Amino acid sequence: MDFINRMNEGIKYVDRHLTEDINFEELERITLCSEYHFKKMFSSLSGIPLSEYIRRRRLSLAAFELTNTDLRVIDIAFKYGYNSSDSFARAFQKVHGITPSEAKEDGYLLKSYPPMTLQLSIVGGNEMEYRIVEKEAFNIIGLKKRVSIVFEGVNPEIASMWEELDDEMIQQLKTLSNIEPQGLISASTNFSEGRMEEKGELDHYVGVATTKETTGTLSVLTVPRSNWAVFNVEGPFPEALQDIWGRIYSEWFPSSNYEQVEGPEILWNEEMDLSSPKFKSEIWIPVKKS
């Protein structure tokens, strides 16, 4: 629970400084983890990006001041980080459904977003199999596409990438594969801020991990030296994968002494029938000790 307590202290710090630029160095000192890991864990545990939480909290406080003070709209806009009354009005109306001027009048409904507190629920003692692997720098070589994020079921854009692989390309890629995870893999990186609202995007690769280089039309992602947490998954696709993905962030990270670092999240699947109840996969996430 120490990690959750540190996360909540970080959220309290954010709430105390909503009228200022957030000092992420101070936030790192309070939470004892990197800005990157804090943002990833916040979005995974709360369901919204940190930037969206900050926006909602600022506009919630702004609404209170509009209805309870004589401050001008432009003064409140500046106070909560907006450079003009127009940009403030657009953001305010998107959240509250009315303009700041209307909010100063009686009878309009406004939305309140109270401060958030994270809680870790103990829902069972189901085991998770994982190992820590140290890897030197390597390349991921293959197809690349910027795709939309999909939480439930199969992502159609990613499925279409796999369909682009003909026998010749598959053999070319497998010839390049010379390190673990062996064979064809998927890798996701460069997530947008909206990753937990299913309206974000990411860079997705379908290819192989290799220390070799290639020329031609294939895309190359250079991955620096890192430690990796590797999670075993067995069960129907994609349900078993989605379950473990959620448990990694809600159970494993909060109870481990590791934090996620920037880098691709890699998925390896065993070459067998996707519908098999014993379908095997591995999830690779770059980590460091907290």
Side-chain angles (χ1 to χ4, degrees):
M1 296 297 289
D2 284 348
F3 176 78
I4 295 297
N5 291 336
R6 296 199 306 270
M7 289 289 294
N8 283 326
E9 288 303 312
I11 295 171
K12 290 178 183 178
Y13 171 80
V14 168
D15 273 300
R16 290 195 300 268
H17 295 82
L18 289 171
T19 59
E20 310 164 19
D21 290 335
I22 304 300
N23 183 334
F24 283 100
E25 289 185 0
E26 179 63 13
L27 191 62
E28 289 179 350
R29 187 192 67 79
I30 293 169
T31 60
L32 302 181
C33 69
S34 68
E35 173 188 345
Y36 181 82
H37 188 62
F38 179 84
K39 287 181 176 179
K40 291 290 288 288
M41 290 302 301
F42 180 91
S43 63
S44 297
L45 294 172
S46 71
I48 61 171
L50 179 64
S51 60
E52 177 63 16
Y53 173 74
I54 292 172
R55 185 179 74 89
R56 291 181 186 181
R57 288 288 296 130
R58 284 173 171 167
L59 291 171
S60 182
L61 294 178
F64 181 82
E65 294 199 28
L66 284 167
T67 57
N68 290 280
T69 72
D70 294 326
L71 290 173
R72 298 180 303 166
V73 171
I74 188 63
D75 293 330
I76 295 175
F78 286 154
K79 180 176 180 179
Y80 289 100
Y82 292 87
N83 295 324
S84 69
S85 56
D86 287 342
S87 61
F88 175 65
R90 287 193 297 270
F92 191 91
Q93 189 160 18
K94 185 176 180 180
V95 167
H96 296 284
I98 60 174
T99 66
S101 298
E102 289 172 329
K104 278 186 166 292
E105 303 173 11
D106 294 334
Y108 285 98
L109 290 175
L110 293 163
K111 294 180 180 178
S112 174
Y113 292 95
M116 181 180 293
T117 299
L118 300 178
Q119 293 182 340
L120 186 61
S121 299
I122 306 301
V123 295
N126 296 329
E127 66 182 22
M128 294 179 68
E129 292 185 342
Y130 75 95
R131 56 195 167 101
I132 302 298
V133 176
E134 183 177 353
K135 288 182 68 65
E136 298 295 327
F138 64 96
N139 293 324
I140 295 175
I141 296 178
L143 303 179
K144 174 192 175 184
K145 185 179 180 181
R146 188 75 176 167
V147 303
S148 301
I149 293 174
V150 174
F151 286 147
E152 299 293 335
V154 176
N155 187 317
E157 293 179 280
I158 293 176
S160 69
M161 293 178 68
W162 283 96
E163 292 172 0
E164 290 181 39
L165 296 177
D166 56 27
D167 291 341
E168 181 180 350
M169 186 177 295
I170 290 173
Q171 286 305 119
Q172 178 188 2
L173 288 171
K174 286 186 175 180
T175 300
L176 291 170
S177 175
N178 66 349
I179 58 170
E180 191 183 23
Q182 294 281 352
L184 297 178
I185 61 173
S186 294
S188 298
T189 189
N190 194 20
F191 293 87
S192 66
E193 273 287 309
R195 70 174 292 182
M196 294 310 298
E197 294 187 299
E198 201 164 5
K199 62 183 180 182
E201 295 180 324
L202 57 84
D203 289 340
H204 192 78
Y205 291 79
V206 172
V208 293
T210 181
T211 56
K212 299 179 182 179
E213 297 181 358
T214 185
T215 58
T217 59
L218 295 176
S219 297
V220 179
L221 174 66
T222 299
V223 183
R225 177 181 179 179
S226 182
N227 289 326
W228 297 77
V230 184
F231 299 87
N232 292 339
V233 185
E234 182 174 316
F237 180 88
E239 293 81 6
L241 271 175
Q242 291 166 346
D243 175 62
I244 294 297
W245 273 117
R247 292 181 60 202
I248 288 170
Y249 288 98
S250 65
E251 299 176 24
W252 190 80
F253 272 121
S255 61
S256 75
N257 62 339
Y258 287 92
E259 63 181 75
Q260 188 170 1
V261 298
E262 291 191 61
E265 299 173 3
I266 297 173
L267 173 63
W268 170 87
N269 292 321
E270 187 177 49
E271 293 188 26
M272 61 179 288
D273 183 5
L274 287 176
S275 62
S276 169
K278 292 188 178 296
F279 185 72
K280 294 181 179 180
S281 307
E282 287 182 349
I283 296 170
W284 291 63
I285 298 179
V287 297
K288 69 176 182 179
K289 285 191 174 181
S290 300

